[in-house]
Amino acid sequence: MSVSEPFDLIRVSLSERVFVKLRGDRELRGVLHAYDGHMNMVLSDVEETIYVVDDESPEVRTVKRNVEMLFVRGDGVVLVAPPSR
């Protein structure tokens, strides 16, 4: 595996599970099927985790949902982590 540019790391993660951190306290874990230069992505078998901060309480609630197929708009992507090798 040769990684010389940032997108090389994404390229070698195609068809692998990846971790995606999004703006708005959201995280995704799913299989990466496609991406482009804007970091738009298509993921399948996705688990979305949303961290909900309530102004009334100091606690942070976690809401999870599963989605079969998801298109992620790149302008919301903060971080993409490849699978552990």
Side-chain angles (χ1 to χ4, degrees):
M1 170 178 83
S2 173
V3 177
S4 59
E5 295 184 19
F7 278 113
D8 291 344
L9 191 59
I10 305 300
R11 181 181 46 80
V12 300
S13 298
L14 281 170
S15 299
E16 301 278 347
R17 286 194 75 75
V18 293
F19 170 78
V20 181
K21 184 156 180 61
L22 302 173
R23 285 195 257 167
D25 299 318
R26 294 174 182 259
E27 296 175 352
L28 305 172
R29 286 176 176 78
V31 178
L32 178 64
H33 289 279
Y35 70 95
D36 65 13
H38 299 285
M39 288 308 297
N40 295 319
M41 290 182 264
V42 176
L43 301 171
S44 69
D45 190 25
V46 180
E47 180 186 83
E48 178 180 24
T49 305
I50 305 166
Y51 298 98
V52 181
V53 179
D54 187 1
D55 294 335
E56 311 282 317
S57 167
E59 294 181 12
V60 176
R61 284 189 307 120
T62 302
V63 178
K64 292 191 179 210
R65 73 177 184 143
N66 293 306
V67 183
E68 187 175 322
M69 187 70 70
L70 189 67
F71 174 84
V72 180
R73 185 174 163 152
D75 67 348
V77 174
V78 175
L79 175 141
V80 179
S84 301
R85 297 196 187 274

